[in-house]
Amino acid sequence: MRVTVIGTGYVGTVTGACLSYFGHRVTCVDNNAGKIEQLRRGEMPIYEPCLEELLRLAAARGGIDFTTELAGAAAESDVIFIAVGTPSLDTGEANLCYLEAAARSIGAAMDDAKFRVVVNKSTVPVGSGNLVETLVREGIREAHPADLKLIRFGVASNPEFLREGSAIADSLYPDRLVLGAEEGRTLQILRELYQPLVDQTFDAPAFLARPAAVTQVPVVTTTLTSAEMIKYAANAFLAVKIGFANEVANICERVGAEAPEVMAGIGLDSRIGARFLNPGLGWGGSCFGKDIQSLLHTAREYGYQSRLLEAALEVNQAQRQLAIQRLQEKLFILKGRTIALLGLAFKPETDDLRDAPSLQIAERLVQMGARVKVYDPVAMPACREHHPGLRIQYCDSAEDAAQDADALVLVTEWRQFAALDLGGLAKRMARAILVDGRNLFDPETARKAGFDYCGIGRPQRAARHNVATMPTHTS
Ligand SMILES: NC(=O)c1ccc[n+]([C@@H]2O[C@H](COP(=O)([O-])OP(=O)(O)OC[C@H]3O[C@@H](n4cnc5c(N)ncnc54)[C@H](O)[C@@H]3O)[C@@H](O)[C@H]2O)c1
């Protein structure tokens, strides 16, 4: 099929790459000319493991190109995806201006040559499917009013569940595919488009083997409204689950229980599940916060107050402050101290800094008069670019950051940090204090290495035995 994807961010580029890898002919469109130029040169505007490799294979399969011009691509396409950003407004409401512009441009580009499906992949408030249809019609009316009755299209919602850092694996081997539409023809076209994915008939790329358990991808077919709601409900649930782990960890600290042991104990219950139960400095990223805000806003519009979701946001905010509290407990005064932060990205394997806890922690420390040194293996260029006003010192390595620091705070659980020589780090520091904001290190090992260690939900007493920490998931 011919496919256009509007928006070459984390979602759009990955969607385009996967569909083209399945054999479809894809054009990715963005109004950011710089990004398009980079993609044309084969450079990645974002850090996402395996994306560059997949794009290379995709070009040789279905074919993929990048442009700032929507009109030609949209006119030729059978399916047009909208994957533009939907950030929060100050009110918490989703800002739909990018979506609206994209939908109108699609309308303006359409002719009556064929039936087309406009698919909304952006996360949008319930009811936006209808909005897209209205806006596409407006676009047609503005550009060529005489054709309004002749131009045929369907609108679908196909929410995206990929996680940055493992976006390609999540897209090639997803847990499910959600397709929301009101008419059979639209669904039929999407089923055809996704057939290689659903039946897993494509050859797995050499760099990303197909998990043995993945033989068929379940398809959930719903109304537009349900599909839109599924996306919000999934993110809200995950954020609440992490928030729950953090709440329990805070109680654990007070009563002397080990949160990682408690989480291991409840996670084995098949009704609960082990993932997203690692206590830490709170979740971040471009989705959880904005999507909960947007869902709360929609609920309020319908006269409903969701206390649970409001609490999830509050608990998360408080959790981020734990880093500062721990430092105050250890150092008393932060003014004039040097604090080293390990990790800036909101989670490992991405350079995304949107709503990253690190930024809030760094800002607060600077406000309190501390000097802040940071090291992140990937996200430092993005931080320099997007937060030029942040008065922090970028370091070349974790060792460089730790040098002469009064405390070290592990903010992002990059895998390479787990392999650090803790003894070597401790020796470089003015005071060997380690605030392990993601429970990445074994407390006993850290203490033996010379650190005054504190984690989250790990009371400060001699550990009875080593607890296998569970994988962390922040978004
Ligand atoms: N990032 C994630 O992990 C993730 C996961 C699931 C769902 N989502 C949702 O997917 C959507 C996209 O997220 P993202 O992280 O990829 O966003 P992003 O900000 O990384 O990318 C959006 C892109 O759209 C482009 N754009 C905006 N308006 C345009 C227009 N009119 N025409 C062409 N291009 C335009 C921007 O220049 C940008 O490159 C959001 O609604 C988000 O909530 C994101």
Side-chain angles (χ1 to χ4, degrees), residues 234-280:
N235 271 357
F237 182 85
L238 293 172
V240 167
K241 192 172 178 188
I242 298 172
F244 174 83
N246 285 332
E247 284 275 71
V248 171
N250 293 338
I251 301 172
C252 283
E253 278 179 11
R254 286 160 176 80
V255 302
E258 286 288 322
E261 288 180 346
V262 173
M263 295 307 148
I266 67 170
L268 285 169
D269 185 327
S270 58
R271 293 168 302 177
I272 295 174
R275 298 167 72 190
F276 281 66
L277 277 183
N278 198 57

Side-chain angles (χ1 to χ4, degrees), residues 6-7 9-11 30-31 35 84 86 123 160 164 290 354:
I6 307 177
Y10 293 86
V11 170
D30 205 294
N31 53 11
K35 271 191 182 181
V84 299
T86 47
T123 304
E160 180 55 63
E164 288 172 20
K290 108 173 147 58
R354 289 178 283 186

Side-chain angles (χ1 to χ4, degrees), residues 184-262:
R185 186 175 184 185
T186 300
L187 279 175
Q188 189 48 40
I189 290 174
L190 288 184
R191 276 205 197 91
E192 223 174 286
L193 180 83
Y194 278 122
Q195 183 274 329
L197 177 81
V198 172
D199 296 335
Q200 289 286 303
T201 47
F202 64 89
D203 299 329
F207 50 82
L208 212 56
R210 176 177 286 115
V214 179
T215 51
Q216 186 84 17
V217 174
V219 181
V220 182
T221 309
T222 69
T223 61
L224 273 174
T225 311
S226 297
E228 289 163 351
M229 195 66 195
I230 285 169
K231 175 63 194 172
Y232 280 113
N235 271 357
F237 182 85
L238 293 172
V240 167
K241 192 172 178 188
I242 298 172
F244 174 83
N246 285 332
E247 284 275 71
V248 171
N250 293 338
I251 301 172
C252 283
E253 278 179 11
R254 286 160 176 80
V255 302
E258 286 288 322
E261 288 180 346
V262 173

Side-chain angles (χ1 to χ4, degrees), residues 53-308:
E53 294 90 321
L54 192 75
L55 276 172
R56 231 176 280 132
L57 295 179
R61 289 190 168 215
I64 185 162
D65 59 358
F66 303 94
T67 178
T68 52
E69 299 300 324
L70 172 69
E76 278 179 36
S77 288
D78 305 291
V79 182
I80 304 159
F81 280 92
I82 302 177
V84 299
T86 47
S88 285
L89 292 168
D90 289 344
T91 54
E93 202 176 345
N95 181 353
L96 296 179
C97 72
Y98 306 107
L99 177 97
E100 289 172 5
R104 277 208 183 85
S105 320
I106 294 171
M110 278 188 179
D111 57 24
D112 59 358
K114 55 175 151 183
F115 179 85
R116 297 179 185 84
V117 176
V118 179
V119 188
N120 199 3
K121 222 175 211 320
S122 297
T123 304
V124 290
V126 176
S128 300
N130 300 340
L131 176 69
V132 168
E133 182 170 348
T134 305
L135 293 165
V136 172
R137 282 198 198 290
E138 272 179 27
I140 300 172
R141 200 178 291 121
E142 280 159 22
H144 30 98
D147 297 338
L148 190 59
K149 289 224 161 65
L150 302 173
I151 293 176
R152 297 152 302 141
F153 68 96
V155 173
S157 167
N158 171 213
E160 180 55 63
F161 301 102
L162 65 76
R163 294 161 301 171
E164 288 172 20
S166 56
I168 304 297
D170 293 343
S171 303
L172 293 179
Y173 314 118
D175 292 337
R176 80 300 209 183
L177 181 68
V178 174
L179 300 176
E182 305 298 329
E183 39 164 25
R185 186 175 184 185
T186 300
L187 279 175
Q188 189 48 40
I189 290 174
L190 288 184
R191 276 205 197 91
E192 223 174 286
L193 180 83
Y194 278 122
Q195 183 274 329
L197 177 81
V198 172
D199 296 335
Q200 289 286 303
T201 47
F202 64 89
D203 299 329
F207 50 82
L208 212 56
R210 176 177 286 115
V214 179
T215 51
Q216 186 84 17
V217 174
V219 181
V220 182
T221 309
T222 69
T223 61
L224 273 174
T225 311
S226 297
E228 289 163 351
M229 195 66 195
I230 285 169
K231 175 63 194 172
Y232 280 113
N235 271 357
F237 182 85
L238 293 172
V240 167
K241 192 172 178 188
I242 298 172
F244 174 83
N246 285 332
E247 284 275 71
V248 171
N250 293 338
I251 301 172
C252 283
E253 278 179 11
R254 286 160 176 80
V255 302
E258 286 288 322
E261 288 180 346
V262 173
M263 295 307 148
I266 67 170
L268 285 169
D269 185 327
S270 58
R271 293 168 302 177
I272 295 174
R275 298 167 72 190
F276 281 66
L277 277 183
N278 198 57
L281 295 177
W283 43 258
S286 66
C287 293
F288 283 5
K290 108 173 147 58
D291 291 352
I292 293 183
Q293 294 276 11
S294 173
L295 187 53
L296 280 168
H297 187 271
T298 300
R300 277 196 298 272
E301 278 184 342
Y302 286 79
Y304 185 75
Q305 185 190 359
S306 168
R307 291 179 185 82
L308 184 62

